[in-house]
Amino acid sequence: MSEKANHIVELLNPTVQALGLELLGIEYLPAPGGATLRLYIDVQEAERATRHVNIEDCEAVSREVSAQLDVEDPITGNYTLEVSSPGVDRPLFSLAHYVRFVGDSAKVVMKLPQDGRRRLQGVISRIEGSDIVFNVDGTELKVAFDNIDKGRLVPDWAALGLAPEKPGGARKAPAKAGDAKRAPAKKAKKKPNQPAARKPRAE
């Protein structure tokens, strides 16, 4: 994550924890006309075997975080706040996330090219210190965690029961627990008489 994103995570993490949830990480995406601030949340580790994030969790976090952002004012300009569960293609923000999903497939984008590539997809074989070893088509590739810009799990659609039964044919099964849930996005706008350097307040 960027320095800006890390700052926002540190700011919002206690608020999300107070709601009995975990802030996995955020995506801060600046864009002309307004940025997007997307939070990914999960239930606490002790509850993962019995429940998943639901829409009520996302809405509760959205309310509390919106109020905190209005007070703390870490973002200038217009932005849209989104709060989401990780979904089956969950993002991987920390080294601990890669440790947790050793044996699963992931795709990553690297900050600097390695072996002539900036993207790879493979199985997370093991963790060596702060390096992640991927098995890419039978070849091991070691990547420093600090060189990873973005990472996500690659879902096993067949294991989830979501793969088509026949080529070109069958319908997917209904979404299962753990699929992405997202609270309605909240747009923030500047007040007409507000100086440009001040952050907008959420409607």
Side-chain angles (χ1 to χ4, degrees):
M1 292 188 293
S2 67
E3 184 176 341
K4 180 78 167 181
N6 284 326
H7 170 67
I8 295 173
V9 166
E10 291 176 3
L11 185 68
L12 301 181
N13 195 43
T15 300
V16 177
Q17 286 185 339
L19 294 170
L21 297 161
E22 179 184 345
L23 179 57
L24 296 175
I26 74 165
E27 292 176 346
Y28 176 66
L29 308 170
T36 297
L37 177 61
R38 184 175 300 128
L39 279 61
Y40 290 94
I41 62 172
D42 202 353
V43 296
Q44 297 283 1
E45 185 174 359
E47 296 184 284
R48 286 174 189 159
T50 57
R51 84 176 189 94
H52 299 276
V53 168
N54 56 41
I55 190 66
E56 289 77 16
D57 293 323
C58 295
E59 290 174 343
V61 170
S62 182
R63 284 194 301 271
E64 295 298 321
V65 165
S66 291
Q68 183 179 6
L69 291 173
D70 283 344
V71 173
E72 302 287 351
D73 201 25
I75 303 172
T76 57
N78 297 331
Y79 68 94
T80 299
L81 173 65
E82 297 179 358
V83 180
S84 175
S85 72
V88 292
D89 60 339
R90 69 165 53 220
L92 304 170
F93 292 103
S94 69
L95 186 60
H97 292 169
Y98 289 89
V99 172
R100 177 182 170 188
F101 292 104
V102 165
D104 289 347
S105 293
K107 55 184 177 182
V108 301
V109 179
M110 292 175 281
K111 298 174 184 175
L112 298 174
Q114 185 169 328
D115 293 344
R117 65 169 79 188
R118 285 196 60 200
R119 299 173 184 270
L120 69 84
Q121 178 173 322
V123 175
I124 305 171
S125 294
R126 61 186 182 277
I127 310 300
E128 296 183 353
S130 60
D131 295 332
I132 304 162
V133 180
F134 293 91
N135 185 316
V136 182
D137 298 326
T139 301
E140 288 196 340
L141 181 64
K142 184 184 295 187
V143 179
F145 173 71
D146 288 344
N147 193 35
I148 293 179
D149 185 31
K150 296 178 182 179
R152 278 186 176 273
L153 290 185
V154 177
D156 184 341
W157 296 113
L160 291 168
L162 299 176
E165 295 177 4
K166 296 180 180 179
R171 294 176 299 172
K172 291 198 303 182
K176 298 189 176 183
D179 286 356
K181 298 175 182 65
R182 182 174 297 174
K186 292 190 175 182
K187 289 186 179 291
K189 298 179 180 178
K190 287 183 177 151
K191 293 182 178 179
N193 60 351
Q194 198 172 23
R198 296 292 296 168
K199 183 188 73 62
R201 293 196 175 271
E203 291 180 341

